[in-house]
Structures are given as C-alpha cells and as structure tokens.
C-alpha cells in the first residue's frame, strides 16, 4: 500500500496544511516531533519530495538522501543528543511502515522500544 501526495499526511505537513512541531527544516527536508512518541525524544526526518518507501528510491535520489544522512546528526545535535540516539527506517508492511512517505525516526532516552 502506497500513499499518493494527495492523501499523504507527511506531504500535507510539508505543504503547511497540517500543523507539526517542526524542529528543523531546509529546502530538501523537514524534521518534526512524532505525535505518538516511542521515546523521550522521537523526531521524524522526511524529505520534502514524496517517496513512498525506500523500495521506491531511484538513482536520481542519491543527492537528496546523501543530504538527509548528513542532516540526521545535525538534527540530533540540535536536540542535544550528544550521548547518542537510534535511527530507524521502517520499510513496507513487513518492516512496520505505517505512513507511506519515507521517513527516518530519531529516538533517544527511555521509551517503548528496546534500546540496545
């Protein structure tokens, strides 16, 4: 199951149609607090471009995803996560993906997920 930009909740956040607690944004991506946090700190980093899941990445997305990988630690540092954090990407129904707009979870502190 994949969402289109018309029915994608994250695309609506990017467009400003749905409010979000934004902690970082630039021309390529946006980071905001998860409305159902699984840890003391739970932020989602998403590309502004709609891509349903990692399974749909194309060669043309290399620069965008390189930028996002560089942005992840910037966001974590801004959040004060100097002691470390967990980054998760759920992909497809078998991987636990619930919103079909690729996103990185940035988690830290006590929470509902096991932390190794």
């Amino acid at each position: 199951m994949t969402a289109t930009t018309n029915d994608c909740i994250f695309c609506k956040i990017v467009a400003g149609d749905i409010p979000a607690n934004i902690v970082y944004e630039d021309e390529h991506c946006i980071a905001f607090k998860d409305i159902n946090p699984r840890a003391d700190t739970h932020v989602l980093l998403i590309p502004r471009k709609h891509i349903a899941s990692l399974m749909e990445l194309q060669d043309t997305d290399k620069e965008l995803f390189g930028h996002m990988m560089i942005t992840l630690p910037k966001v974590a540092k801004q959040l004060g996560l100097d002691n470390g954090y967990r980054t998760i990407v759920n992909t497809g129904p078998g991987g636990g993906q619930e919103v079909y707009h690729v996103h990185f979870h940035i988690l830290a502190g006590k929470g509902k997920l096991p932390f190794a």
Side-chain angles (χ1 to χ4, degrees), residues 25-101:
E25 64 183 312
D26 64 28
E27 65 275 12
H28 302 292
C29 56
I30 185 170
F32 53 92
K33 293 184 179 180
D34 194 298
I35 61 169
N36 185 24
R38 300 294 194 144
D40 294 336
T41 299
H42 188 169
V43 169
L44 304 176
L45 178 67
I46 67 169
R48 290 184 180 274
K49 175 184 176 184
H50 180 81
I51 301 169
S53 78
L54 289 179
M55 299 294 287
E56 294 189 6
L57 287 179
Q58 304 293 318
D59 284 341
T60 56
D61 298 316
K62 288 178 188 177
E63 188 173 324
L64 171 60
F65 275 75
H67 174 78
M68 291 184 70
M69 294 306 293
I70 297 298
T71 301
L72 279 164
K74 289 179 185 177
V75 172
K77 183 174 182 162
Q78 178 182 314
L79 295 169
L81 304 179
D82 299 325
N83 195 36
Y85 55 94
R86 175 178 268 189
T87 307
I88 299 173
V89 180
N90 299 324
T91 305
Q97 187 173 1
E98 295 176 0
V99 176
Y100 283 85
H101 184 121

Side-chain angles (χ1 to χ4, degrees), residues 1-13 48-53 56 99-102:
M1 176 182 199
T2 60
T4 64
T5 57
N6 292 335
D7 60 359
C8 174
I9 190 168
F10 288 173
C11 286
K12 291 177 182 179
I13 289 171
R48 290 184 180 274
K49 175 184 176 184
H50 180 81
I51 301 169
S53 78
E56 294 189 6
V99 176
Y100 283 85
H101 184 121
V102 70

